[in-house]
């Protein structure tokens, strides 16, 4: 993480609004969240301000959302943060920032989905609507949506680190899931629109099911298996099969195998961030750990030995 040298405060955000969007400057303002790339400030009842603060790549991600998301949002069955205004760098704040719609709900890392059937159907409907062929010129992912084999080295490093830290109950089973996923045939269909970063902090819940999806900074075109991994990361026990039946078109076995591999990668990332949160390290978020550990438990439930074939679901 590379935090901006400028401290982002309510006074700063209010000043930025006064400079570039004076019609919004008088609305109530309060901090919503400090994300991995951006800070989110709620503006009035229906809007939010997103400002890059922790990564150098955040500027480009915000511009990408502003360019592509408004056209996608009307076709999605869940609320998403639709960019309303793009704000350019200035002397007050030397980076671009955006005003979006506010999406109500609680992040799933703090309030997991509990109504299994409803959550599975809702997630399947959202991804069915999103996963349409992307147009020529659509963005490619930051290591998302391409061949799973490209991540062999990061997987090996993550497995070794998690094992050394004692974070895995059965490292051989995790390796078996991964090896089966990498052995699956690659995606040969058209590049589909992907969210690219469906982890519990980016999906909102209300009354036990999903009510919104946020942070489209990793929006890209590619293999839908990357997003289908979310079934293991987000859904409660016993809901994955229902999700696969509800998603259209029904995923082929190879896609489900690759999705399991993507789920392992996402689980590792969340486990390390959760562990950092437990120990109070910068960038750590302890709430990310439990759903990631649950995902690995579900993924490896039928794996007992390295030589055992991995399940296809």
């Amino acid at each position: 993480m590379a935090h901006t040298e400028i401290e982002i405060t309510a006074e700063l955000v209010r000043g930025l609004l006064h400079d570039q969007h004076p019609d919004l400057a008088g609305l109530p303002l309060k901090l919503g969240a400090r994300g991995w790339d951006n800070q989110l400030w709620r503006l009035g009842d229906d809007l939010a301000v997103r400002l890059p603060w922790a990564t150098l790549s955040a500027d480009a991600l915000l511009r990408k959302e502003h360019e592509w998301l408004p056209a996608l949002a009307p076709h999605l069955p869940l609320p998403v943060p639709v960019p309303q205004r793009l704000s350019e760098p200035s002397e007050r704040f030397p980076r671009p920032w955006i005003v979006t719609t506010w999406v109500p709900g609680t992040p799933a890392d703090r309030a997991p989905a509990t109504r299994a059937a409803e959550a599975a159907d809702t997630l399947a409907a959202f991804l069915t609507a999103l996963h349409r062929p992307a147009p020529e010129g659509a963005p490619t992912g930051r290591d998302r949506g391409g061949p799973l084999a490209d991540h062999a080295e990061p997987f090996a490093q993550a497995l070794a680190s998690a094992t050394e830290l004692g974070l895995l109950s059965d490292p051989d089973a995790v390796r078996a899931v991964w090896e089966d996923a990498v052995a699956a045939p690659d995606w040969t269909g058209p590049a589909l629109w992907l969210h690219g970063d469906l982890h519990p902090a980016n999906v909102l819940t209300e009354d036990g099911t999903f009510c919104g999806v946020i942070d489209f900074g990793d929006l890209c075109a590619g293999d839908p298996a990357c997003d289908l991994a979310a079934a293991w990361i987000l859904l409660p026990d016993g809901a994955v099969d229902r999700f696969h039946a509800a998603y259209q078109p029904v995923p082929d076995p190879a896609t489900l195998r690759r999705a399991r591999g993507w789920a392992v990668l996402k689980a590792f990332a969340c486990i390390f961030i959760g562990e950092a949160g437990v120990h109070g390290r910068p960038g750590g978020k302890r709430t990310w750990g439990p759903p990631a550990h649950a995902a690995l438990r579900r993924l490896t439930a039928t794996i007992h030995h390295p030589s055992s074939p991995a399940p296809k679901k």
Side-chain angles (χ1 to χ4, degrees), residues 195-281:
H195 178 279
D197 200 22
L198 289 172
H199 59 71
N202 284 343
V203 181
L204 307 179
T205 65
E206 185 178 33
D207 296 329
T209 190
F210 304 122
C211 65
V213 179
I214 60 174
D215 195 348
F216 282 75
D218 280 299
L219 181 72
C220 62
D223 177 3
C226 179
D227 276 357
L228 295 179
W232 288 278
I233 302 292
L234 297 172
L235 294 174
D237 289 349
V240 172
D241 286 344
R242 181 174 180 123
F243 166 83
H244 291 152
Y247 175 85
Q248 297 297 318
V250 174
D252 62 87
T255 296
L256 293 183
R257 291 166 65 191
R258 294 192 308 277
R260 288 168 57 84
W262 282 107
V264 167
L265 292 176
K266 182 61 67 178
F268 271 150
C270 292
I271 282 172
F272 291 132
I273 291 172
E275 183 71 2
V278 168
H279 295 284
R281 293 195 293 269

Side-chain angles (χ1 to χ4, degrees), residues 81-151:
V82 185
Q84 303 294 299
R85 306 184 189 185
L86 175 64
S87 309
E88 296 297 339
S90 65
E91 290 186 8
R92 193 187 295 267
F93 188 73
R95 305 181 70 175
W97 50 281
I98 61 175
V99 178
T100 75
T101 55
W102 173 263
V103 181
T106 304
D109 62 314
R110 301 205 300 264
T114 55
R115 294 163 53 197
E118 292 89 342
D121 290 347
T122 299
L123 181 62
F126 177 82
L127 290 180
T128 294
L130 176 62
H131 288 172
R132 301 301 186 198
E136 185 176 350
T140 56
R142 299 186 298 175
D143 69 14
R144 320 286 168 96
L148 196 59
D150 291 350
H151 300 269

Side-chain angles (χ1 to χ4, degrees), residues 155-172 175 268 271-272 275 279 281 293:
F155 166 79
Q157 293 172 347
L159 180 67
S161 180
T163 302
E164 182 179 351
L165 292 171
L167 300 177
L168 302 179
S169 60
D170 192 345
D172 289 336
R175 183 185 293 108
F268 271 150
I271 282 172
F272 291 132
E275 183 71 2
H279 295 284
R281 293 195 293 269
H293 283 289

Side-chain angles (χ1 to χ4, degrees), residues 282-298:
K285 300 179 181 181
R286 62 170 58 231
T287 55
W288 288 33
H293 283 289
L296 286 186
R297 175 178 52 78
R298 287 189 284 267

